[in-house]
Amino acid sequence: MIIKSAELETVCGVTSALPEHVHPEFAFAGKSNVGKSSLINGLMNRKALARTSSQPGKTQTINFYHVNDCVYFVDLPGYGYAKVSQEAKAKWGKMIEGYLKKSKMLKGVFLLVDIRHEPSGNDKTMYDWIVYNGFSPIVVATKLDKINRSQVQKHVKMLRGGLGMEKEDVLIPFSAQTKQGREEIWQLMESLTDLGQEG
């Protein structure tokens, strides 16, 4: 996919009404420090459009990025960060759930997990929650460049087992450094929509 345009179009807080789009949407969920902004920037070929933060838990809004005037990337608030109050976590949860249930154009949900570690309880909960809301999570295993190539299959197996993934469920290892996995993610998005015909 050649990226001709990418912009942050809408930011929704807890009380905001969700926008209604005519273009397909893909949502990205994951722990606060899993590399969500780096993945979104990598997919959009932008260095810093999605804001990376040195303080995990900073994204407290749902951010809609309009790409090539034909698709939206939806950045969901990061979860699992200890310093955020239970009340705030509950509000984010409601906000994410509201989005997953109400969006008419949501075509797929990407769940980001760190390839180096066993999935956390929060990762597993989020995985189950996405399934409960009627989607088959597409797992992106980030920080691929932080492990040896010989370890990749072992870690992929660990993640699949830890999340309770079905055999047919998709897991894509991704590196923000080398962009390995980027084309695979775009191809998957194109297969779930008619993006391929548009660019």
Side-chain angles (χ1 to χ4, degrees), residues 15-121:
T15 56
S16 313
L18 290 165
E20 291 194 18
H21 294 135
V22 294
H23 293 145
E25 297 170 2
F26 288 96
F28 295 84
K31 269 195 306 223
S32 301
N33 55 353
V34 76
K36 202 149 41 73
S37 300
S38 301
L39 170 68
I40 292 171
N41 284 327
L43 289 171
M44 297 190 296
N45 262 356
R46 296 292 186 272
K47 282 228 158 57
L49 185 56
R51 292 184 291 269
T52 52
S53 170
S54 55
Q55 291 174 276
K58 202 94 165 122
T59 306
Q60 300 181 20
T61 52
I62 298 178
N63 298 337
F64 292 83
Y65 296 91
H66 201 187
V67 183
N68 277 10
D69 291 324
C70 69
V71 64
Y72 284 93
F73 290 171
V74 184
D75 186 3
L76 301 173
Y79 58 80
Y81 190 60
K83 282 190 183 170
V84 178
S85 71
Q86 286 302 323
E87 192 186 350
K89 283 179 189 168
K91 279 182 181 164
W92 294 357
K94 279 209 165 60
M95 187 161 69
I96 295 169
E97 188 171 27
Y99 169 70
L100 292 178
K101 283 188 169 151
K102 288 176 189 161
S103 171
K104 294 183 177 73
M105 296 306 291
L106 183 58
K107 302 296 182 192
V109 183
F110 289 88
L111 176 62
L112 280 64
V113 293
D114 188 327
I115 198 165
R116 297 173 297 179
H117 309 299
E118 292 256 0
S120 67

Side-chain angles (χ1 to χ4, degrees), residues 63-193:
N63 298 337
F64 292 83
Y65 296 91
H66 201 187
V67 183
N68 277 10
D69 291 324
C70 69
V71 64
Y72 284 93
F73 290 171
V74 184
D75 186 3
L76 301 173
Y79 58 80
Y81 190 60
K83 282 190 183 170
V84 178
S85 71
Q86 286 302 323
E87 192 186 350
K89 283 179 189 168
K91 279 182 181 164
W92 294 357
K94 279 209 165 60
M95 187 161 69
I96 295 169
E97 188 171 27
Y99 169 70
L100 292 178
K101 283 188 169 151
K102 288 176 189 161
S103 171
K104 294 183 177 73
M105 296 306 291
L106 183 58
K107 302 296 182 192
V109 183
F110 289 88
L111 176 62
L112 280 64
V113 293
D114 188 327
I115 198 165
R116 297 173 297 179
H117 309 299
E118 292 256 0
S120 67
N122 283 320
D123 290 332
K124 179 74 178 109
T125 300
M126 193 69 195
Y127 182 88
D128 293 342
W129 201 33
I130 295 167
V131 171
Y132 176 75
N133 278 288
F135 293 93
S136 180
I138 304 150
V139 176
V140 177
T142 61
K143 307 188 192 274
L144 176 61
D145 46 279
K146 307 274 194 221
I147 62 170
N148 291 330
R149 193 169 287 187
S150 60
Q151 299 268 288
V152 173
Q153 284 315 311
K154 183 181 136 193
H155 283 248
V156 164
K157 196 174 171 188
M158 170 186 80
L159 291 175
R160 293 186 78 95
L163 290 169
M165 293 176 73
E166 300 291 337
K167 203 173 257 179
E168 65 276 9
D169 289 343
V170 178
L171 185 149
I172 301 171
F174 175 79
S175 163
Q177 301 293 323
T178 66
K179 301 293 182 282
Q180 186 180 331
R182 179 182 185 273
E183 289 311 310
E184 216 179 321
I185 293 168
W186 265 114
Q187 280 166 11
L188 188 63
M189 289 192 286
E190 286 168 10
S191 74
L192 292 169
T193 61

